[in-house]
């Protein structure tokens, strides 16, 4: 029996309040969010049948948009053969995806450990770095975000998320992002690794300054530390190259990815490493780090087809070109509203708008949703909202989003003026 949209909304809100998270239910209800019921390409539909242009993209998950037909078809085919691995035998899909990742990844990265999410990929990276070096310390950055499991949370650079769960993994050191001198001072011969984002996603779409990543690489080499590059959000074409570190020609020892790798269909995480790292971790015990669901046939099949679609459709270059169009449009918003917008920045199709006051971002997001475009603020910097559309986004959709941002900022300005 089909129920009405209103009845569905009431039921889901009640279920969240009683069985999922009552505080989240209250927050989402206050913000006016509905129930998502369908998605296709760059659009989402809610319980009222209203269409939204998705410019959040699942925080980077939907690089191919929602339900890309080639990924759906491949996963359905695999479902009919063998959805999950028996774990005793070789998995053909895991082998093929690992080889494809080795082909496109920078430097000497060759081997891949598969997991199910970005935070799991980071957990593996931290373990591998400490195990390979025998050292206790990890250097990370203020405002950085690497996940919320214990190890990943320990190197996530915002105390708000760490405090309640302390003591966490010992040995984490934090330095300001982009401060080369502070980073070089923090990296000594007790450091197992530096973990760094090429663009701080949750930190506010902060882009690594020119020469910063190269300086980290040199300092790590000088003291024998490893360099972990976290590409969970920036990898797989998001920035206009396959990986964010490709812009600087950086050769990581370990690289993490997730989100976009599953093509918006399957969750998958991956931790890549050099032969030297793999030898240090797995040579004596090939089962030293494992995952029951990691590297399953469904997820790896999705990953294989995702990489193929990105290549076939030229989406890496498309990300660069359309990212320039989006950034130029948002610069126009800044010029029209300098009292509210303090800056815009981005690379490829990951773009941030920074506001001059703390709560402006939330108000702008509400106005955008009212106009049918979805966005969100960055987790570690509420003054910044992100626009992270699918790589298949069109020029017309870019222009529509810019028009909506323009209107949303203008109306937010009027609301604030009325309160003053």
């Amino acid at each position: 029996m089909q129920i009405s949209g209103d009845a569905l909304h009431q039921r889901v809100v009640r279920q969240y309040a009683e069985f999922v998270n009552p505080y989240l239910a209250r927050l989402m209800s206050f913000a006016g969010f509905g129930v998502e019921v369908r998605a296709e390409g760059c659009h989402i539909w809610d319980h009222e049948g209203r269409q939204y242009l998705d410019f959040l993209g699942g925080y980077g998950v939907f690089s191919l948009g929602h339900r890309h037909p080639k990924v759906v078809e491949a996963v359905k085919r695999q479902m009919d053969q063998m959805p999950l691995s028996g774990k005793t035998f070789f998995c053909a899909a895991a082998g093929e995806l690992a080889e494809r990742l080795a082909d496109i990844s920078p430097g000497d990265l060759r081997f891949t450990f598969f997991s199910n999410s970005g935070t799991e990929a980071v957990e593996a990276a931290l373990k591998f770095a400490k195990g390979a070096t025998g050292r206790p310390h990890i250097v990370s950055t203020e405002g950085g975000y690497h996940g919320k499991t214990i190890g990943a949370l320990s190197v996530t650079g915002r105390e708000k998320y760490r405090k309640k769960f302390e003591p966490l993994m010992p040995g984490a050191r934090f330095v300001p992002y982009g401060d080369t001198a502070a980073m070089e001072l923090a990296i000594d011969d007790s450091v197992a690794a530096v973990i760094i984002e090429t663009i701080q996603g949750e930190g506010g779409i902060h882009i690594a300054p020119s020469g910063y990543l190269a300086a980290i690489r040199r300092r790590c080499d000088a003291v024998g530390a490893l360099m972990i590059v976290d590409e969970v959000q920036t990898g797989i074409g998001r920035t206009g190259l396959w990986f964010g570190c490709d812009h600087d020609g950086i050769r990581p020892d370990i690289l993490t990815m997730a989100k976009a790798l599953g093509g918006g269909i399957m969750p998958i995480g991956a931790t890549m490493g050099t032969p030297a790292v793999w030898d240090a971790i797995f040579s004596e015990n090939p089962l030293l780090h494992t995952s029951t669901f990691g590297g399953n046939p469904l997820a790896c099949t999705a990953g294989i087809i995702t990489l193929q679609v990105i290549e076939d459709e030229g989406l890496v270059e498309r990300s660069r070109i359309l990212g320039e169009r989006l950034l130029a449009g948002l610069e126009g918003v800044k010029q029209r509203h300098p009292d509210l917008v303090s800056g815009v920045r981005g690379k490829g199709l990951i773009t941030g708008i920074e506001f001059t006051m703390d709560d402006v971002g939330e108000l702008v997001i509400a106005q955008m949703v009212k106009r049918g475009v979805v966005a969100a603020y960055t987790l570690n910097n509420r003054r910044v909202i992100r626009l992270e559309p699918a790589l298949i986004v069109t020029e017309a959709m870019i222009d529509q989003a810019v028009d909506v941002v323009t209107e949303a900022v203008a109306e937010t300005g009027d609301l604030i003026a009325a309160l003053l």
Side-chain angles (χ1 to χ4, degrees):
M1 177 180 174
Q2 190 171 6
I3 63 174
S4 69
D6 286 343
L8 173 65
H9 182 253
Q10 292 172 10
R11 186 183 73 185
V12 173
V13 170
R14 176 188 63 78
Q15 289 169 330
Y16 264 64
E18 294 182 13
F19 305 112
V20 178
N21 184 334
Y23 312 100
L24 178 63
R26 191 179 308 153
L27 176 64
M28 292 178 68
S29 294
F30 178 77
F33 290 114
V35 179
E36 56 187 11
V37 297
R38 185 167 68 90
E40 188 81 28
C42 294
H43 292 95
I44 298 172
W45 286 262
D46 71 6
H47 65 283
E48 294 180 326
R50 188 176 179 196
Q51 176 181 286
Y52 298 86
L53 180 60
D54 185 4
F55 256 60
L56 175 59
Y59 308 100
V61 168
F62 296 105
S63 283
L64 300 186
H66 297 269
R67 300 180 61 248
H68 192 286
K70 290 184 179 178
V71 184
V72 170
E73 179 187 4
V75 169
K76 283 182 175 179
R77 238 184 357 253
Q78 184 62 50
M79 178 79 76
D80 287 338
Q81 294 177 330
M82 189 175 193
L84 295 178
S85 171
K87 305 305 290 187
T88 303
F89 300 90
F90 290 104
C91 174
E96 183 175 348
L97 179 56
E99 183 175 11
R100 288 289 297 111
L101 290 174
D103 288 341
I104 65 172
S105 298
D108 300 324
L109 296 172
R110 183 174 178 184
F111 297 105
T112 300
F113 176 84
F114 291 112
S115 55
N116 310 283
S117 66
T119 194
E120 288 178 66
V122 168
E123 290 286 341
L126 297 175
K127 282 183 67 175
F128 294 172
K130 296 183 79 169
T133 63
R135 296 177 177 183
H137 293 116
I138 304 288
V139 178
S140 187
T141 55
E142 296 169 5
Y145 183 86
H146 302 288
K148 290 195 178 112
T149 50
I150 290 295
L153 182 59
S154 300
V155 296
T156 287
R158 194 176 184 199
E159 188 178 9
K160 172 181 179 179
Y161 295 108
R162 299 195 311 264
K163 187 69 176 175
K164 195 173 185 67
F165 306 102
E166 292 176 342
L168 299 170
M169 180 186 76
R173 299 175 179 174
F174 293 96
V175 297
Y177 187 78
D179 187 332
T180 300
M183 178 64 79
E184 290 177 336
L185 187 63
I187 305 171
D188 57 30
D189 59 9
S190 72
V191 169
V194 173
I195 184 166
I196 193 77
E197 298 164 277
T198 60
I199 299 174
Q200 277 194 334
E202 303 301 338
I205 318 298
H206 292 292
I207 301 168
S210 177
Y212 178 60
L213 298 176
I216 295 173
R217 177 72 275 177
R218 287 193 300 270
R219 182 61 181 163
C220 285
D221 289 342
V223 303
L226 302 181
M227 185 175 183
I228 304 170
V229 176
D230 184 341
E231 298 263 12
V232 167
Q233 190 162 179
T234 52
I236 319 297
R238 172 60 55 184
T239 66
L241 291 175
W242 274 112
F243 296 98
C245 61
D246 289 336
H247 292 276
D248 295 88
I250 300 303
R251 300 160 67 94
D253 300 291
I254 301 173
L255 183 145
T256 62
M257 68 190 86
K259 294 189 184 296
L261 185 57
I265 301 298
M266 292 296 300
I268 182 171
T271 306
M272 296 194 71
T274 63
V277 170
W278 248 240
D279 182 65
I281 298 301
F282 291 113
S283 60
E284 293 184 9
N285 183 355
L287 300 177
L288 194 62
H289 188 71
T290 58
S291 170
T292 299
F293 292 109
N296 69 75
L298 285 180
C300 289
T301 295
I304 293 164
I305 302 303
T306 295
L307 299 182
Q308 191 63 55
V309 169
I310 290 173
E311 283 193 340
D312 290 347
E313 299 185 9
L315 297 184
V316 175
E317 177 67 4
R318 183 181 182 82
S319 177
R320 183 189 66 79
I321 294 170
L322 292 183
E324 291 173 355
R325 186 184 186 96
L326 176 58
L327 199 61
L330 297 177
E331 284 285 356
V333 179
K334 177 190 171 186
Q335 291 171 12
R336 283 188 288 273
H337 299 280
D339 54 326
L340 291 179
V341 181
S342 61
V344 299
R345 50 188 176 264
K347 185 174 286 188
L349 285 171
I350 178 169
T351 305
I353 310 168
E354 183 160 5
F355 297 99
T356 56
M357 294 175 283
D358 283 348
D359 297 324
V360 173
E362 289 185 73
L363 295 172
V364 170
I365 288 168
Q367 296 297 333
M368 289 177 65
V369 171
K370 186 171 76 174
R371 291 167 170 80
V373 177
V374 178
Y377 59 78
T378 56
L379 204 58
N380 286 346
N381 190 339
R382 293 172 67 93
R383 285 196 176 192
V384 179
I385 67 172
R386 85 185 79 198
L387 300 179
E388 205 166 342
L391 308 189
I392 63 169
V393 69
T394 66
E395 291 183 353
M397 291 173 185
I398 295 279
D399 296 343
Q400 177 188 348
V402 169
D403 288 344
V404 165
V405 171
T406 303
E407 295 172 6
V409 171
E411 184 162 346
T412 297
D414 292 342
L415 290 171
I416 293 172
L419 294 173
L420 297 178

